[in-house]
Amino acid sequence: MRKINRFVCASSIALISCVAPFSLAAESSAQSIDELTRQWLETEQQKSRLISRWQDDKPLAEQRLELLRAEKKQLTELLAKRESKGDAVDQKREELVRQQSELESEQAETEALVTTLATRLDAFKPMLPPPLQSTWDNAAGDDSNNQLRLQLARLSSLKEFNERVTLHSMRLKPDNSPEDVLVRQLYLGASQAWFSSADGSYAGTGSVSDGEWVWRFRSDVDAGQILRAIAIAEKQSPAQTLSLPVSSVSAKGDVAP
């Protein structure tokens, strides 16, 4: 602004020293400079308003700021050349406002989609194996401020879990026992699991029933086969062919062996 004032002062001194035939041209030049200066100031005010919203929506504000910097550069070039381009600047400003409106609309649509995805995944969570449920809970604790990243992390962990064999240990309570039993669990993806106690006294399967993950102690399951499968997964035993029962979900949601 101080440069502009010195420029205007210099122009005024030059005006006094010029002869009469050139006074009209000098006055017109000064008016052009004033108009460009006014446009410059209006642009700076618009920039300040955008920066004030920076903390509310930083990514979108950064895009707006880049557009505003481009506009400022154009106005600076116009001022240096002492040309009056008022109409072109107005058109450019209208284009920037249109682009800003489109960005805000796209952001609103994205937020709506993320909310819908989060609702669906929350409803799906009870059907997941317990280790995967814990992974989802930990992801929510680490990244609760960024819903999009959280939902993508959930989907990624589900995909990884579903594509591998997973081993896990936890305590389960048999139907006719007052105490919990520590069992080893073997998950085949996210839909089927088997478990056995270390001594083979307890064994069973895990799967989805009525919209949630359920463990079942089963006397018809060979605990030895499960323990051998766990040993193979831990690379403590050579690979071999094993037979394990697979649970399937019926149309009513009941799990049948």
Side-chain angles (χ1 to χ4, degrees):
M1 185 64 186
R2 288 194 296 270
K3 293 181 178 180
I4 295 174
N5 291 336
R6 288 198 296 270
F7 185 87
V8 174
C9 291
S11 299
S12 300
I13 295 173
L15 177 62
I16 296 174
S17 61
C18 288
V19 293
F22 297 98
S23 62
L24 183 58
E27 181 179 356
S28 176
S29 177
Q31 291 176 351
S32 297
I33 293 174
D34 289 341
E35 174 64 17
L36 291 176
T37 301
R38 182 185 65 78
Q39 294 175 10
W40 178 291
L41 293 176
E42 289 179 354
T43 302
E44 287 293 327
Q45 292 173 357
Q46 184 182 6
K47 173 183 175 182
S48 298
R49 288 193 298 270
L50 289 174
I51 292 178
S52 67
R53 298 179 58 187
W54 187 264
Q55 295 299 325
D56 296 333
D57 198 345
K58 183 177 178 181
L60 183 58
E62 288 177 339
Q63 295 180 24
R64 297 176 189 160
L65 188 57
E66 289 298 323
L67 295 174
L68 195 58
R69 285 172 177 166
E71 181 185 10
K72 179 180 176 181
K73 180 179 179 181
Q74 291 181 350
L75 290 177
T76 302
E77 294 173 354
L78 291 174
L79 184 62
K81 294 177 181 180
R82 305 180 185 181
E83 295 177 355
S84 178
K85 300 276 186 182
D87 293 341
V89 172
D90 290 339
Q91 292 176 2
K92 181 62 177 178
R93 185 179 289 107
E94 291 177 359
E95 176 65 16
L96 294 177
V97 171
R98 183 188 64 79
Q99 293 178 7
Q100 174 182 326
S101 178
E102 290 178 354
L103 288 173
E104 290 175 345
S105 177
E106 291 175 0
Q107 182 182 25
E109 292 178 1
T110 300
E111 290 176 352
L113 290 174
V114 171
T115 300
T116 301
L117 176 60
T119 301
R120 291 179 178 177
L121 292 182
D122 287 342
F124 187 62
K125 179 182 173 182
M127 294 184 284
L128 299 178
L132 188 53
Q133 290 187 28
S134 299
T135 300
W136 279 26
D137 291 337
N138 293 335
D142 294 341
D143 206 8
S144 58
N145 292 328
N146 191 322
Q147 283 300 313
L148 176 58
R149 190 178 303 171
L150 169 60
Q151 307 316 320
L152 292 178
R154 283 178 165 185
L155 291 174
S156 177
S157 62
L158 174 59
K159 180 177 181 295
E160 292 176 1
F161 195 96
N162 204 43
E163 293 177 348
R164 68 172 186 262
V165 173
T166 303
L167 300 177
H168 187 65
S169 297
M170 66 182 297
R171 289 188 172 275
L172 299 177
K173 186 175 181 179
D175 296 334
N176 357 355
S177 175
E179 297 182 354
D180 294 343
V181 177
L182 179 63
V183 298
R184 297 293 308 278
Q185 298 168 335
L186 174 70
Y187 294 88
L188 181 60
S191 60
Q192 182 69 52
W194 301 267
F195 68 86
S196 174
S197 58
D199 59 2
S201 300
Y202 296 94
T205 59
S207 57
V208 179
S209 176
D210 294 330
E212 64 180 5
W213 187 269
V214 176
W215 294 110
R216 284 185 171 81
F217 285 85
R218 294 172 51 177
S219 58
D220 61 333
V221 174
D222 188 345
Q225 290 282 76
I226 297 175
L227 293 175
R228 280 191 288 274
I230 293 175
I232 293 173
E234 292 178 332
K235 298 182 179 180
Q236 296 179 358
S237 178
Q240 56 183 294
T241 301
L242 299 175
S243 177
L244 296 175
V246 177
S247 299
S248 60
V249 180
S250 67
K252 294 182 179 180
D254 299 328
V255 178

